[in-house]
Amino acid sequence: MASSATQICGFLAIPVKYKESSGASHWLYCKAHSVRVKTAGKPVGRTLFVVNVPAFFTEDCFQKMFGEFGTVSNVFFHKKPTASVPEEETSNFFKKSEPVKGYKVAYVVFEKSSSLEAVLKLKWKTPKVLFRKQDKAPPSAVQRWNAAYDEQITAVADLQADIDDFMRKFDEKAKGEAGNLKESEGQADEDGWIKVTKKGRKPGLARKESVEQRVLQKESKKKAKKELLNFYTFQIRESKMNHLAELRHKFEEDKKRIAQLRQSRRFRPF
Amino acid sequence: MVDEQEHSGSDSEDNLDTEEDNGDQEETDDSDEEKSLPKKRPLPANVTEAGESKKRKLKKELFKPPTADEMTHLRQTENLFHSNLFRLEIDEMMKEIQVKEKVEKRFQSWFSQLQVFLDNLKNSKEFPISDLKWLKGFNVTLPIKLDPSKFSGSFCFVKPTDLSVVGSFAAKCCLGPNLEIDVRVEMPKVVFLRSDFQNQKYILKRALYVCYICSKLQKSELADEVEFSLLEGDPWKPILVIKNGEKLGKRVQVRLLFVPEAECFKLTQLAPEKVNIKTKWATGKEPEDGLELPSTYYNRSVAVDVALTENEQWRLEKMQEQKSLSEGIMLLKVWLRQRGLDQGYGAFSGYIMSMYVAYLLKGKKLNNAMSSYQVIRNTWNQLSREDWTQKGCTLCPKEIGPQASDFHLFFDVVFMDVTGYVNICGNMSSEIFQQVRRESALAIKYLDDHGINSFSALFMTNLPFYRQFDHIVSFDAASVRKAEQQLDIPARLDASGPWFTHLGIVGVLRQALDARVHLMCPQLEAVGTWSPVDGPPNPSERPFVLGLALNPEHALALLTKGPAANLPEAKIFRNFWGERSELRRFQDGSVCEAVVWASAGGIAKRRLVCREIVSYAAQKHLGVDNLLYIADQLESVLPLGLGEDGALAVAKACDALGRQLMQLEGLPLDISSVQGAAPSLRYSDPFPPAPYMAFKSKDAFDTVAMKTSECKNKFISPIPVVLNLALSNKWPEDLEAVRRIKAAFYIKIGECLKQQLNIISQPFPTHINVLKDGFIFTLKMYHAREVSLLKETTTPQGLIRYRDTEESLSLEMQYVHLPKLTSALHGLHMSHPCMGPASCLAKRWVSSHLLLDDTLMPELCVELLMAHLFLSPAPYQPPIQPQTAFVRFLQLLARAPWTSEPIILNFREEITRQEIIEIENKFNSERSTLPPLFVVTPEARSGTVLTKHAPSSQVLYRLTQLAKASLQTLDKELLTNENFDYKLIFRTPMNIFDVVISLHNQLTRKDESLDATHVDRPKTIPDQANRIPVVGLDYVQCFLKDLRESYSDYALFFCDQHGGCQIGVLFKPNVLKRQEFAVSHTNGHIPKPPKQMEFSQDLFIEDVKILGEGIVKSITIKD
């Protein structure tokens, strides 16, 4: 183990400071990304897996940190480690996933695998300062909140245009699917099976849990009707015994409750 | 017995019939079953197989043949008790309050020593009674206030003729664990002359006898401490209280009661109409008109002593060795004690109660076979029906002695003893009796209502005086003296103390308030003990405190209507009200005398009409102008009052907007309903949104909503509203598409509003903000299919199932539960107009203690708990004054019943009895898996929807602790300290937090803070506005959200929602410990190679600085 690089359980710890004046430094724990499930977005060999990434870290911050080792082509943020890549956003107004906030996990994808190796080889002795004095100051918290508020307010026309665009595509797609369904209606597939759909003449029962339960209930009712109640002596005896058992059960329950209350000293009136 | 059967374990009664083949004959049936059971009922086959699993063992337990004992026990429970639980609860409480055997033994041995001691006392020499200098030699001060110089004759001590244990201890119904044992000491005949019952001589000699024994006892080893006290609070009746930690035990007091030997005085001479104190003797003058007034109260005072022995004997005879009877009396005594009705002058003491039970026993209303439950139930039933102020009852056989009707001429309340000469309730005022009656009726109501845990309401809850009433009036001693002069109460020779003045004051106020109050009850104060060296306490030095229970139907009326002007009664009315009375013509054409109180003003002012009336009447008729009137003091902590007027404006605007929205034309689907979901629409927002000044831009602009750069306004809270649309089957079956369609709808609504009504709005992808009458409404649309789409999952078999998800639940909460609860709470507020304001107070209190937050204690929970107090107010009546409701809210928090009972909010009685039982069963069996606060409403019967995430048990615990502390302060200060700073109970200690973050004041909602001065709210209706200002941007909440996103796993953050400028941080336990490195828990940790990591407080501080740059002023760390 290198004498000065901080290694912990296979992770390389990199200290980072927000500003030069910051009292304490954050630590990023890095490791080369390696998982069984391979995805194109996070290629093994070029992806750096980072945990304990503070809330203020953005893609730019990683550019700043690792830019000197080679181009960073992509950064993905997640709340928890995952092999998949977040879905691509198609609209400015309707986001598919919420932005990741708080402490997070990052996957930094480099253009070349050599950059990754270089990062992992370095000893990272002194904390890296993210926002130097000469740099543009990061937005203050109040500015951030204001910006987030302003961002929601959009011109109505843009919103309408976005909606129209989506709905056009959606309608087209729906039409296509409906067409396909209609075509396949009543047609046998290559094995000779005919698919029964809800569109046909006899749609059958809906395949829902509630419907299935209703059917079962009806059945059990029918069954119960056929049985004779309190007819045989043993039945009467049993029902009496059951009643006694129920009383005893209730009594035991109440006793338990009293014991509970007694523990919390609920019986001292004064 | 007849009365009981309908109430005994109603659900099991039906089953009972099936079990007993021949119906009613319980007794025979019982024995029949006992004998035959083992033979007749062999164990079911499946049980006899020796099962080893636990379940089977349990089953075996349940199905084993019953023993005779068990059968009788079960049968008794069904027939003689309210419910099984009630019976067990009674048994448990009895264990706590019954006299322990070793205590009794210890007392018996002490008692025999006392007998020997008194028997060995020697007769004293003769002392003069006109000059009591000799008493100093005994080191005792005379315990009564009498001038001895008026007396003549001498006193000589002779040892007591008899000594016996009397009272509740003898009758085996003494209330533990602090025991008071009464011992009767019989003073011999020779001490008194035959005529000593006249002119207070008996009183003085009795006191001297007490002093003599006191001085002797002080020197003996029998007592650690001997003190004086008073019997029934009567200033002429000193008794001795003996404590002896070693020989008697710490919790035992022995009270020596002194009575004259039988045949000393004749009871006939002590009848209430007899004159036993001569005016000439008392004042030195002949009575003015030559008529002597009967010395009723004095006569009674003496007669009580004379008749004590006989009464005691009779009682003991009646109640010999009847366990259930004495248990019943003990329960009734606990009930009285909890209500503060059994101690002090004129109280409904435990003695009266046990005499009454004996009376019922004599009248065959109770019998020996009854269970303790039946005893209390029947006693309450009888008591609530009787009116001793009109028709007193008597223990005396009718033929001899005076009749009860004769006593009514002299006493308010009449209950005659066995001799027929003593009124046991002689000192009681009718107010106290009416309260006892009302409480009895309430008790019966609670027993009948199965929805509540009546046991704890009746016996376990203490009801301090000030929590029972809506308004409290307190006259200090000086005021009482003033009133005495003003009322011109003739000096009574037959009683000592200010009681007659009190009656006069009550009379005046009763006439002034009339139907506005249900009850006007004086506070009873137990007389303490005092050391023999000190003089007796002066009852005139105590303030006179009255509690008013308002009658909601009349209490808020602005006008007191008098009789028609031409009637003779009009003159009385005019005399009483003086210049305030005026002639008015009423709508029905009549011309009547009337008094108009608070001319105009909101409901908050109308609640105080009673105060105005009381202070006017007190000034005019009693000459008192500095009353302490406790009614609305706590309201001063809210700078805007209770927010009722503000809420009214919001509700009006919301209704108007709703109507307009439903009439919009040109929408693809009609809006079928508009439901508000804001706290201000349930009248429970302490700071309801105010209409703001018009925001107007002259230049062109892109969006109607202003951006933060364009305007810097104060915090404005938006008012959420949920829209429901007419049904349609054209909605797409796709979540994304539904979201788009909804957004398109918002845009369309915005256009229509602008075109048709010229109302401006700003559509967003998820909602639309609309400006109406200066308020900003956030409209959201509910589409039921959206929720089910979120819930929908398909099993591998292709079966469609619906399962709740986090998202669907939060959507349902927002769109379904919140509007429904808003309307339910609004409805409840309409029938109890003080609920909304009381919720405001409660929320302010919770918020002041930094706990009002959706992640800690959601505001809806506070409101629901408050609603609980109005829906099931037991043991009280629903309050009228917000302050009273707030104090009871604190009591609810302090009692913390959530661990053992579900909170069932049965709005409109929609949940049936059967369902309540099911809910309770579920609650009891699954308690550990249910949320700490389990609230059930008709809409959310599972009880988990509303409180699933918050509050946690820790938050509830903290609330309980805070509520206890606040109540303690109130208990101590409320009635006594005129200048009490009520903000004190709203201040929270900050020293418990690990880190305290101070914020820049100008970024908080500082107008709402506790110390903010009243701000005038703008009243402009911004017709001209063409922009919507910045809404709902609360920097402190943004900051808290950021902090929680980063650190919710490691710390809790607390802040006052209403203008708090400090955030308290509490680290979770064990966070600061060093831990093994784990990828999932690295956040905010610094490395400790080779394999460990540590949470760094420095790094946390650094993060707080980064996350709150611009808002954080300073950070303090607890060392």
Side-chain angles (χ1 to χ4, degrees), chain B residues 20-42:
Chain B
E20 294 166 2
D21 297 336
N22 37 353
D24 295 324
Q25 298 161 327
E26 282 166 37
E27 301 286 314
T28 51
D29 213 88
D30 231 8
S31 49
D32 216 42
E33 210 147 2
E34 281 158 31
K35 278 178 229 154
S36 56
L37 263 174
K39 271 182 270 166
K40 254 190 189 171
R41 294 180 186 174

mmCIF file of all heavy atoms in Angstrom, chain B residues 20-42:
data_model
loop_
_atom_site.group_PDB
_atom_site.id
_atom_site.type_symbol
_atom_site.label_atom_id
_atom_site.label_comp_id
_atom_site.label_asym_id
_atom_site.label_seq_id
_atom_site.Cartn_x
_atom_site.Cartn_y
_atom_site.Cartn_z
ATOM 1 N N GLU B 20 -77.490 -21.384 27.475
ATOM 2 C CA GLU B 20 -78.419 -21.899 28.473
ATOM 3 C C GLU B 20 -79.682 -22.330 27.755
ATOM 4 O O GLU B 20 -80.331 -21.530 27.083
ATOM 5 C CB GLU B 20 -78.785 -20.807 29.458
ATOM 6 C CG GLU B 20 -77.628 -20.367 30.287
ATOM 7 C CD GLU B 20 -77.962 -19.075 30.983
ATOM 8 O OE1 GLU B 20 -79.084 -18.589 30.825
ATOM 9 O OE2 GLU B 20 -77.087 -18.578 31.668
ATOM 10 N N ASP B 21 -79.996 -23.539 27.947
ATOM 11 C CA ASP B 21 -81.124 -24.038 27.176
ATOM 12 C C ASP B 21 -82.457 -23.538 27.697
ATOM 13 O O ASP B 21 -83.396 -23.326 26.952
ATOM 14 C CB ASP B 21 -81.098 -25.563 27.159
ATOM 15 C CG ASP B 21 -79.850 -26.068 26.478
ATOM 16 O OD1 ASP B 21 -79.289 -25.305 25.657
ATOM 17 O OD2 ASP B 21 -79.416 -27.175 26.768
ATOM 18 N N ASN B 22 -82.519 -23.335 29.034
ATOM 19 C CA ASN B 22 -83.804 -22.871 29.522
ATOM 20 C C ASN B 22 -83.728 -21.470 30.129
ATOM 21 O O ASN B 22 -84.011 -21.234 31.277
ATOM 22 C CB ASN B 22 -84.441 -23.854 30.505
ATOM 23 C CG ASN B 22 -83.372 -24.472 31.376
ATOM 24 O OD1 ASN B 22 -82.184 -24.249 31.128
ATOM 25 N ND2 ASN B 22 -83.770 -25.200 32.383
ATOM 26 N N GLY B 23 -83.289 -20.586 29.319
ATOM 27 C CA GLY B 23 -83.505 -19.147 29.502
ATOM 28 C C GLY B 23 -83.099 -18.520 30.805
ATOM 29 O O GLY B 23 -81.921 -18.490 31.147
ATOM 30 N N ASP B 24 -84.058 -18.029 31.575
ATOM 31 C CA ASP B 24 -83.788 -17.027 32.587
ATOM 32 C C ASP B 24 -83.257 -17.558 33.901
ATOM 33 O O ASP B 24 -82.606 -16.836 34.629
ATOM 34 C CB ASP B 24 -85.053 -16.223 32.883
ATOM 35 C CG ASP B 24 -85.463 -15.432 31.648
ATOM 36 O OD1 ASP B 24 -84.547 -14.975 30.935
ATOM 37 O OD2 ASP B 24 -86.656 -15.303 31.409
ATOM 38 N N GLN B 25 -83.579 -18.787 34.230
ATOM 39 C CA GLN B 25 -83.240 -19.225 35.580
ATOM 40 C C GLN B 25 -81.746 -19.469 35.707
ATOM 41 O O GLN B 25 -81.270 -20.581 35.562
ATOM 42 C CB GLN B 25 -84.007 -20.505 35.919
ATOM 43 C CG GLN B 25 -85.505 -20.281 35.904
ATOM 44 C CD GLN B 25 -86.265 -21.569 35.766
ATOM 45 O OE1 GLN B 25 -85.819 -22.513 35.121
ATOM 46 N NE2 GLN B 25 -87.428 -21.615 36.372
ATOM 47 N N GLU B 26 -81.083 -18.383 36.002
ATOM 48 C CA GLU B 26 -79.626 -18.463 36.012
ATOM 49 C C GLU B 26 -79.096 -19.407 37.069
ATOM 50 O O GLU B 26 -78.247 -20.238 36.809
ATOM 51 C CB GLU B 26 -79.036 -17.089 36.290
ATOM 52 C CG GLU B 26 -79.069 -16.210 35.080
ATOM 53 C CD GLU B 26 -78.793 -14.796 35.484
ATOM 54 O OE1 GLU B 26 -77.953 -14.622 36.382
ATOM 55 O OE2 GLU B 26 -79.412 -13.904 34.926
ATOM 56 N N GLU B 27 -79.654 -19.239 38.278
ATOM 57 C CA GLU B 27 -79.077 -19.922 39.422
ATOM 58 C C GLU B 27 -79.058 -21.437 39.219
ATOM 59 O O GLU B 27 -78.033 -22.087 39.322
ATOM 60 C CB GLU B 27 -79.886 -19.595 40.688
ATOM 61 C CG GLU B 27 -79.945 -18.112 41.005
ATOM 62 C CD GLU B 27 -78.637 -17.596 41.558
ATOM 63 O OE1 GLU B 27 -78.080 -18.255 42.448
ATOM 64 O OE2 GLU B 27 -78.157 -16.539 41.112
ATOM 65 N N THR B 28 -80.247 -21.943 38.908
ATOM 66 C CA THR B 28 -80.350 -23.388 38.766
ATOM 67 C C THR B 28 -79.507 -23.855 37.592
ATOM 68 O O THR B 28 -78.796 -24.843 37.679
ATOM 69 C CB THR B 28 -81.806 -23.799 38.523
ATOM 70 O OG1 THR B 28 -82.303 -22.992 37.455
ATOM 71 C CG2 THR B 28 -82.647 -23.585 39.767
ATOM 72 N N ASP B 29 -79.600 -23.095 36.563
ATOM 73 C CA ASP B 29 -78.884 -23.455 35.350
ATOM 74 C C ASP B 29 -77.383 -23.565 35.609
ATOM 75 O O ASP B 29 -76.717 -24.434 35.107
ATOM 76 C CB ASP B 29 -79.112 -22.358 34.319
ATOM 77 C CG ASP B 29 -79.134 -22.943 32.935
ATOM 78 O OD1 ASP B 29 -80.209 -23.342 32.505
ATOM 79 O OD2 ASP B 29 -78.052 -23.035 32.331
ATOM 80 N N ASP B 30 -76.942 -22.619 36.398
ATOM 81 C CA ASP B 30 -75.534 -22.548 36.710
ATOM 82 C C ASP B 30 -75.017 -23.865 37.287
ATOM 83 O O ASP B 30 -74.063 -24.447 36.799
ATOM 84 C CB ASP B 30 -75.335 -21.443 37.757
ATOM 85 C CG ASP B 30 -74.262 -20.497 37.314
ATOM 86 O OD1 ASP B 30 -73.826 -20.644 36.162
ATOM 87 O OD2 ASP B 30 -73.880 -19.643 38.108
ATOM 88 N N SER B 31 -75.719 -24.283 38.350
ATOM 89 C CA SER B 31 -75.249 -25.466 39.056
ATOM 90 C C SER B 31 -75.383 -26.697 38.169
ATOM 91 O O SER B 31 -74.540 -27.587 38.170
ATOM 92 C CB SER B 31 -76.052 -25.654 40.346
ATOM 93 O OG SER B 31 -77.421 -25.563 40.018
ATOM 94 N N ASP B 32 -76.443 -26.677 37.393
ATOM 95 C CA ASP B 32 -76.679 -27.761 36.459
ATOM 96 C C ASP B 32 -75.465 -27.965 35.563
ATOM 97 O O ASP B 32 -74.951 -29.056 35.391
ATOM 98 C CB ASP B 32 -77.873 -27.359 35.598
ATOM 99 C CG ASP B 32 -78.723 -28.558 35.278
ATOM 100 O OD1 ASP B 32 -78.920 -29.357 36.196
ATOM 101 O OD2 ASP B 32 -79.160 -28.668 34.133
ATOM 102 N N GLU B 33 -75.038 -26.858 35.057
ATOM 103 C CA GLU B 33 -73.965 -26.910 34.076
ATOM 104 C C GLU B 33 -72.660 -27.371 34.713
ATOM 105 O O GLU B 33 -71.918 -28.126 34.140
ATOM 106 C CB GLU B 33 -73.775 -25.523 33.474
ATOM 107 C CG GLU B 33 -73.277 -25.570 32.084
ATOM 108 C CD GLU B 33 -73.842 -24.402 31.281
ATOM 109 O OE1 GLU B 33 -74.571 -23.575 31.833
ATOM 110 O OE2 GLU B 33 -73.524 -24.352 30.109
ATOM 111 N N GLU B 34 -72.459 -26.861 35.960
ATOM 112 C CA GLU B 34 -71.218 -27.212 36.635
ATOM 113 C C GLU B 34 -71.075 -28.722 36.778
ATOM 114 O O GLU B 34 -70.031 -29.295 36.533
ATOM 115 C CB GLU B 34 -71.192 -26.580 38.030
ATOM 116 C CG GLU B 34 -70.834 -25.111 37.995
ATOM 117 C CD GLU B 34 -71.322 -24.422 39.232
ATOM 118 O OE1 GLU B 34 -71.382 -25.087 40.291
ATOM 119 O OE2 GLU B 34 -71.651 -23.239 39.175
ATOM 120 N N LYS B 35 -72.194 -29.308 37.215
ATOM 121 C CA LYS B 35 -72.120 -30.744 37.476
ATOM 122 C C LYS B 35 -71.959 -31.536 36.188
ATOM 123 O O LYS B 35 -71.164 -32.438 36.081
ATOM 124 C CB LYS B 35 -73.406 -31.200 38.184
ATOM 125 C CG LYS B 35 -73.376 -30.932 39.675
ATOM 126 C CD LYS B 35 -74.698 -31.369 40.270
ATOM 127 C CE LYS B 35 -75.268 -30.269 41.151
ATOM 128 N NZ LYS B 35 -76.709 -30.343 41.255
ATOM 129 N N SER B 36 -72.774 -31.119 35.243
ATOM 130 C CA SER B 36 -72.870 -31.962 34.052
ATOM 131 C C SER B 36 -71.728 -31.761 33.073
ATOM 132 O O SER B 36 -71.461 -32.625 32.272
ATOM 133 C CB SER B 36 -74.195 -31.695 33.352
ATOM 134 O OG SER B 36 -74.275 -30.309 33.078
ATOM 135 N N LEU B 37 -71.086 -30.627 33.183
ATOM 136 C CA LEU B 37 -70.137 -30.313 32.119
ATOM 137 C C LEU B 37 -69.051 -31.366 31.897
ATOM 138 O O LEU B 37 -68.884 -31.829 30.781
ATOM 139 C CB LEU B 37 -69.507 -28.947 32.363
ATOM 140 C CG LEU B 37 -70.204 -27.828 31.582
ATOM 141 C CD1 LEU B 37 -69.624 -26.498 31.996
ATOM 142 C CD2 LEU B 37 -70.053 -28.043 30.092
ATOM 143 N N PRO B 38 -68.357 -31.749 32.953
ATOM 144 C CA PRO B 38 -67.265 -32.688 32.724
ATOM 145 C C PRO B 38 -67.743 -33.991 32.066
ATOM 146 O O PRO B 38 -67.072 -34.548 31.238
ATOM 147 C CB PRO B 38 -66.717 -32.942 34.119
ATOM 148 C CG PRO B 38 -67.176 -31.773 34.926
ATOM 149 C CD PRO B 38 -68.451 -31.342 34.345
ATOM 150 N N LYS B 39 -68.926 -34.414 32.482
ATOM 151 C CA LYS B 39 -69.426 -35.668 31.914
ATOM 152 C C LYS B 39 -69.888 -35.469 30.482
ATOM 153 O O LYS B 39 -69.533 -36.181 29.569
ATOM 154 C CB LYS B 39 -70.606 -36.162 32.760
ATOM 155 C CG LYS B 39 -70.178 -37.057 33.903
ATOM 156 C CD LYS B 39 -71.392 -37.532 34.659
ATOM 157 C CE LYS B 39 -71.720 -36.563 35.788
ATOM 158 N NZ LYS B 39 -73.042 -36.771 36.351
ATOM 159 N N LYS B 40 -70.702 -34.434 30.326
ATOM 160 C CA LYS B 40 -71.377 -34.234 29.054
ATOM 161 C C LYS B 40 -70.424 -33.875 27.937
ATOM 162 O O LYS B 40 -70.662 -34.177 26.779
ATOM 163 C CB LYS B 40 -72.387 -33.111 29.204
ATOM 164 C CG LYS B 40 -73.824 -33.603 29.262
ATOM 165 C CD LYS B 40 -74.714 -32.387 29.157
ATOM 166 C CE LYS B 40 -76.156 -32.726 29.423
ATOM 167 N NZ LYS B 40 -76.937 -31.485 29.515
ATOM 168 N N ARG B 41 -69.382 -33.151 28.305
ATOM 169 C CA ARG B 41 -68.550 -32.603 27.238
ATOM 170 C C ARG B 41 -67.164 -33.196 27.237
ATOM 171 O O ARG B 41 -66.259 -32.665 27.876
ATOM 172 C CB ARG B 41 -68.449 -31.089 27.407
ATOM 173 C CG ARG B 41 -69.780 -30.443 27.190
ATOM 174 C CD ARG B 41 -69.660 -28.965 27.359
ATOM 175 N NE ARG B 41 -70.990 -28.372 27.288
ATOM 176 C CZ ARG B 41 -71.241 -27.108 27.521
ATOM 177 N NH1 ARG B 41 -70.262 -26.316 27.846
ATOM 178 N NH2 ARG B 41 -72.455 -26.650 27.434
ATOM 179 N N PRO B 42 -67.015 -34.278 26.580
ATOM 180 C CA PRO B 42 -65.666 -34.805 26.451
ATOM 181 C C PRO B 42 -64.858 -33.863 25.570
ATOM 182 O O PRO B 42 -65.412 -33.129 24.757
ATOM 183 C CB PRO B 42 -65.884 -36.144 25.760
ATOM 184 C CG PRO B 42 -67.172 -36.007 25.034
ATOM 185 C CD PRO B 42 -67.987 -35.003 25.773
#
